[in-house]
Amino acid sequence: MWMSLAGSMPMVFVTYIFQAPLQEWAGDLARNSSIFQRILFVLISRVFIYVAGLTDVNHWRGIWEMLDLYTGETLLSALVSLLTGIIGLWATRSSRTAIVPPFALSLDLNAKQIFEKTTLMKTKLQDGWVFFADVFFSALVVETLSITFWRGAWLLLDLYVFPRDALISAWTTFVSGCSLAVICFCLQWPMALLVSKLKDGVAKLIIEDVYYFLILITGILHWHGVWNLCEDYFLTNYPTMGYAMTHTIGFLLLTVTMTSSNIIMKGVEVDGRSPGGTGCIFSISYIQPLCGVQSISD
């Protein structure tokens, strides 16, 4: 637990602080006409994604296990974790930060999409100490609140969705997550229309946050189902082999489909900042960006 935190936090700060130089340097490689330098960009960017992904996993693991150790795995612990997380995210207007695939999709097309990691106040390295304070708050507070919320919701599913039958529990949450995802995707256009008719303010923020809460719960159901299905079908008899197989195959498939950067946290997303109703439209286009077509949610 403490090793996970100690090993991950310095790298979390590095990815925030050095994102601009990394984007500029890697971008020059990607734009170069030399095939060698383009290949070098692909190799370096994928190594960065892999290392940053391991960093984020250790960050989540450290916070998650620390909460398990010091607060227990009880109903009270789950509720406090969930409420602390979501109220904190609402208070900092950053609940959108905790949204993950299938409601967010990033492609490995350029340096900005791979290395960019936004902060709460959207400051830059040139802003000096204000930038470092922004990075500190974004990494230690907002990201921790996201983990805390996820952990609370996940623990509630473990405790009350067929706790005596892991396989039925996994299939239940997976099917529920997929079903709710279809509903959420259908709702995004009506929600965008509704929000677009409101002036920027409290009403718009509340409606968006309620919608984001539904999206978050749906995403957690989906992830809980997939995670536990992998454990039931691949990790029961030969866990070490199963870990290696799911880890390797997962990263290779993400790399081949140019979606490997989805394993890393992209920083902080601010609620209510998107113009009109675009904050309710999720960037999940895959074919369009590959073909160079601009998506409405970009």
Side-chain angles (χ1 to χ4, degrees), residues 18-266:
F18 294 103
Q19 57 176 305
L22 283 170
Q23 287 182 53
E24 183 178 355
W25 174 68
D28 290 340
L29 285 178
R31 289 186 295 268
N32 198 287
S33 58
S34 168
I35 294 179
F36 171 76
Q37 289 193 313
R38 290 191 177 188
I39 293 174
L40 186 62
F41 163 74
V42 172
L43 292 175
I44 292 174
S45 62
R46 272 45 177 192
V47 170
F48 170 84
I49 289 170
Y50 185 81
V51 173
L54 289 180
T55 298
D56 286 339
V57 168
N58 274 285
H59 183 199
W60 278 64
R61 181 177 182 268
I63 298 294
W64 196 299
E65 291 194 349
M66 182 174 66
L67 290 171
D68 284 349
L69 177 63
Y70 291 110
T71 68
E73 298 180 51
T74 63
L75 172 60
L76 178 61
S77 173
L79 291 175
V80 170
S81 183
L82 184 145
L83 292 174
T84 300
I86 195 60
I87 291 173
L89 290 171
W90 284 339
T92 55
R93 295 183 57 179
S94 54
S95 63
R96 190 181 173 112
T97 301
I99 294 175
V100 297
F103 297 103
L105 179 65
S106 176
L107 300 184
D108 311 335
L109 295 179
N110 56 56
K112 181 179 180 180
Q113 290 172 307
I114 293 172
F115 295 101
E116 185 177 43
K117 201 162 187 178
T118 55
T119 58
L120 182 66
M121 303 303 296
K122 301 295 186 287
T123 55
K124 302 296 182 183
L125 186 59
Q126 297 86 337
D127 296 322
W129 69 268
V130 177
F131 169 72
F132 289 100
D134 192 13
V135 167
F136 184 86
F137 188 84
S138 299
L140 287 186
V141 178
V142 178
E143 289 195 11
T144 299
L145 287 171
S146 298
I147 299 167
T148 302
F149 171 75
W150 265 70
R151 183 257 180 187
W154 194 288
L155 182 54
L156 285 175
L157 295 176
D158 284 342
L159 291 174
Y160 293 102
V161 180
F162 299 104
R164 297 182 180 180
D165 193 320
L167 186 58
I168 294 179
S169 176
W171 276 110
T172 301
T173 53
F174 174 71
V175 173
S176 299
C178 291
S179 301
L180 280 174
V182 172
I183 295 173
C184 290
F185 284 133
C186 293
L187 281 176
Q188 62 180 332
W189 295 104
M191 290 296 298
L193 180 62
L194 172 63
V195 171
S196 66
K197 294 181 179 180
L198 300 173
K199 295 181 179 179
D200 290 343
V202 176
K204 175 184 177 181
L205 182 62
I206 291 175
I207 291 175
E208 284 193 358
D209 279 348
V210 170
Y211 182 52
Y212 294 158
F213 183 78
L214 175 61
I215 295 294
L216 287 170
I217 296 300
T218 302
I220 292 170
L221 281 167
H222 177 77
W223 277 56
H224 185 275
V226 173
W227 190 289
N228 286 307
L229 285 174
C230 286
E231 287 196 339
D232 288 328
Y233 287 114
F234 299 110
L235 307 177
T236 303
N237 296 321
Y238 304 98
T240 302
M241 183 184 298
Y243 293 140
M245 182 178 67
T246 53
H247 175 81
T248 304
I249 293 176
F251 186 74
L252 287 177
L253 287 176
L254 288 169
T255 301
V256 169
T257 56
M258 299 185 69
T259 55
S260 60
S261 59
N262 289 282
I263 67 175
I264 59 180
M265 295 193 72
K266 298 295 184 178

